[in-house]
Amino acid sequence: MSAEKKKVLLGVTGGIAAYKACEVLRGLQKAGCDVRVMMTEDATRFVGTVTFEALSGHPVATGFYDFAESSIPHIMLSEWADLVLVCPCTANVMAKMAAGLSDDLISSTLLAAAGTVLIAPAMNVRMWENPATQANLQTLMARGVHVVMPTQGRLACGDVGTGKLADVDAIVAQALSELEGSAPTPQVPVEVELPQSFAEDSTASDLLTALRLAAASSGGTIVIEEPPRDLEGWKFLITAGPTHEAIDPVRFIANASTGKMGYTIARRAAERGARVTIVSGPVTLQAPEGVEVVNVTSAAQMYDAATSLFTHDVDCAICTAAVADYTPAAPADHKLKKGIEQIDVIRLVETKDILAALSSMKGIGQIVVGFAAETNDLIAYAQAKLAKKGCDLIVANDVSRADSTFGADTSRISFVDALGVEELDTMPLNLVADAILDRVCDIMEARG
Ligand code: CTP
């Protein structure tokens, strides 16, 4: 950026994170800013004025009466600055700002500042979460003070939680954006109280309505971020759901798959701009918007549909379906009658492996992804499947875990490919879907 000759007034207040203000100062200078420092008395106990004087090349202002350059330092400094950055900003200084107090140099300068004010709070987690601090935060943001939010982590006092000063780089980047006038619109955290009637099975649109109402009552709006269109031009083929293998016209062999994973990947791929076709076994899910669904019932039908749809223009096939490995060799053409016909033995024959077939068909530039749902020896079985089926990537998930089993809204997956194994944390399905799609992009990129 061209932050040349931009003037930043850095207010350092009394907290252990004061030493990080030195790095912030250096970062701003590196970007071409002229930085002056003002400090509270408390802050000088953490870092001496001499340090900031040496770093900034300006005298440091700590009080009204000892600043050689002006007898009204709070006015002079507030007029000098293009941006006032308070870093770290204590709970006390936030409270003073919210109340409009001016009992020391920093609070008076902030009260006199007509330009952009950016604060980087840092404090103990309980002080941060205290309703008084949160109310002050809301007040300041509503008045247009910009905030680099504190992060979570282990705090200097040993507590773990939110209150850690944001990363130095993030603070510098935000300050530079403010100077360029390109800082993002501040986001105001709102607490949403969901109505009691808001049940677990409420839909995403119910939640959105609740959020919209909550935002409207605090005078705001909900901004829904559009997903990136990074898969524009891509074509995906996805198998999903279980298959039903007929024993007779009314009985079949099935499994516990719901199709959620495959449908979620399809929805996210379409939202990210791809053309997507699902070859779907019998499920109760709605077709995601913009996704073509080819409905099939049996493993044989799924095989025929998937292999004929895997044309050269398909960039990636993802086999999430829980395809029956075996099917009755000779399904009856009429409903079998107990006591009359022999139905205690059903002879099964192996079905054709769709994943293996697509892997053998794939040309250069096509990616085939398989799944391994296991209850034990997850990685070993996944590695064996990768080798046996010849696909590019296996997504392994431990279906013995409640947070990763069939029908769950979360999953814990590992990527297993020729390069090794990468375990991911348990995540909601849409994030799992994104992680899989990102991984597919990485594979494609690595191929050039
Ligand atoms: N798969 C397939 N066609 C089949 C069987 C499986 O495409 N006829 C795909 C699944 O969609 C999944 C992967 O292969 O991507 C699962 O591998 P598979 O060996 O079938 O796993 P299991 O059915 O769990 O079998 P195993 O008893 O060997 O673990």
Side-chain angles (χ1 to χ4, degrees):
M1 71 158 281
S2 65
E4 261 159 48
K5 298 190 201 96
K6 292 284 185 187
K7 297 191 254 343
V8 180
L9 177 60
L10 177 61
V12 183
T13 72
I16 184 63
Y19 74 95
K20 295 219 175 136
C22 301
E23 292 173 46
V24 170
L25 185 157
R26 298 297 287 179
L28 290 168
Q29 283 176 329
K30 266 191 204 149
C33 300
D34 187 7
V35 186
R36 278 175 173 266
V37 178
M38 58 177 176
M39 300 177 78
T40 59
E41 281 299 324
D42 276 347
T44 62
R45 294 177 179 253
F46 291 93
V47 184
T49 52
V50 178
T51 305
F52 284 111
E53 273 173 11
L55 290 174
S56 70
H58 292 286
V60 169
T62 52
F64 293 110
Y65 313 110
D66 54 2
F67 192 62
E69 288 182 55
S70 167
S71 56
I72 42 170
H74 54 302
I75 305 299
M76 179 241 152
L77 290 170
S78 60
E79 283 174 353
W80 174 85
D82 295 314
L83 171 74
V84 183
L85 165 62
V86 186
C87 170
C89 186
T90 58
N92 182 48
V93 171
M94 284 175 68
K96 284 198 204 178
M97 288 172 77
L101 289 180
S102 58
D103 63 349
D104 63 6
L105 179 69
I106 285 199
S107 54
S108 303
T109 309
L110 287 164
L111 200 59
T116 310
V117 174
L118 175 65
I119 63 171
M123 64 197 74
N124 168 275
V125 55
R126 290 187 301 284
M127 293 171 78
W128 173 251
E129 287 176 354
N130 190 299
T133 306
Q134 288 302 307
N136 290 335
L137 175 69
Q138 299 274 350
T139 303
L140 294 176
M141 289 175 92
R143 284 187 200 144
V145 171
H146 293 190
V147 183
V148 192
M149 287 292 177
T151 58
Q152 284 197 340
R154 181 169 293 281
L155 308 174
C157 54
D159 285 347
V160 176
T162 304
K164 214 170 136 80
L165 185 75
D167 273 352
V168 167
D169 289 348
I171 297 169
V172 172
Q174 172 101 15
L176 296 176
S177 318
E178 304 287 355
L179 288 166
E180 274 192 338
S182 63
T185 316
Q187 293 174 357
V188 183
V190 284
E191 239 172 60
V192 180
E193 206 169 308
L194 296 176
Q196 287 218 316
S197 57
F198 196 86
E200 264 191 8
D201 57 358
S202 293
T203 61
S205 79
D206 295 336
L207 178 60
L208 197 56
T209 308
L211 288 171
R212 282 208 167 104
L213 286 172
S217 69
S218 12
T221 50
I222 293 285
V223 178
I224 299 176
E225 279 183 23
E226 290 291 324
R229 305 282 295 175
D230 59 339
L231 296 178
E232 218 140 325
W234 285 65
K235 196 170 171 192
F236 281 83
L237 174 66
I238 296 173
T239 68
T243 62
H244 287 182
E245 307 304 316
I247 297 170
D248 69 17
V250 296
R251 301 183 178 93
F252 53 82
I253 301 171
N255 59 61
S257 168
T258 60
K260 269 188 194 174
M261 186 73 256
Y263 274 64
T264 307
I265 297 173
R267 179 173 55 77
R268 286 303 296 163
E271 285 170 355
R272 288 169 60 168
R275 281 178 299 150
V276 186
T277 303
I278 305 178
V279 179
S280 176
V283 296
T284 55
L285 302 171
Q286 296 236 319
E289 209 178 307
V291 170
E292 186 194 355
V293 178
V294 175
N295 289 304
V296 295
T297 305
S298 66
Q301 289 170 356
M302 189 175 275
Y303 179 93
D304 288 344
T307 49
S308 67
L309 287 165
F310 191 53
T311 43
H312 288 303
D313 58 340
V314 173
D315 299 283
C316 176
I318 305 183
C319 295
T320 70
V323 188
D325 289 325
Y326 293 92
T327 189
D333 58 4
H334 61 281
K335 186 178 168 208
L336 295 170
K337 300 303 286 179
K338 61 178 172 295
I340 300 174
E341 288 165 293
Q342 192 200 352
I343 53 173
D344 55 339
V345 176
I346 301 169
R347 201 170 72 79
L348 301 174
V349 289
E350 208 167 331
T351 58
K352 289 198 266 186
D353 194 313
I354 303 164
L355 176 59
L358 300 186
S359 299
S360 69
M361 287 165 69
K362 78 184 163 79
I364 298 167
Q366 288 185 299
I367 295 171
V368 176
V369 180
F371 270 67
E374 310 287 350
T375 55
N376 53 290
D377 301 316
L378 180 68
I379 301 302
Y381 281 136
Q383 283 168 331
K385 272 175 198 163
L386 181 77
K388 187 172 154 206
K389 312 230 181 188
C391 53
D392 299 286
L393 174 69
I394 287 281
V395 179
N397 72 319
D398 181 351
V399 286
S400 70
R401 296 173 57 107
D403 62 2
S404 197
T405 194
F406 290 118
D409 290 322
T410 54
S411 187
R412 188 187 182 88
I413 59 162
S414 298
F415 291 127
V416 177
D417 65 10
L419 297 176
V421 177
E422 188 192 343
E423 288 179 31
L424 306 190
D425 287 335
T426 303
M427 294 189 288
L429 286 191
N430 57 340
L431 295 187
V432 173
D434 274 335
I436 294 168
L437 294 169
D438 290 346
R439 185 67 176 223
V440 168
C441 291
D442 290 346
I443 296 172
M444 198 61 106
E445 209 176 291
R447 287 183 185 172

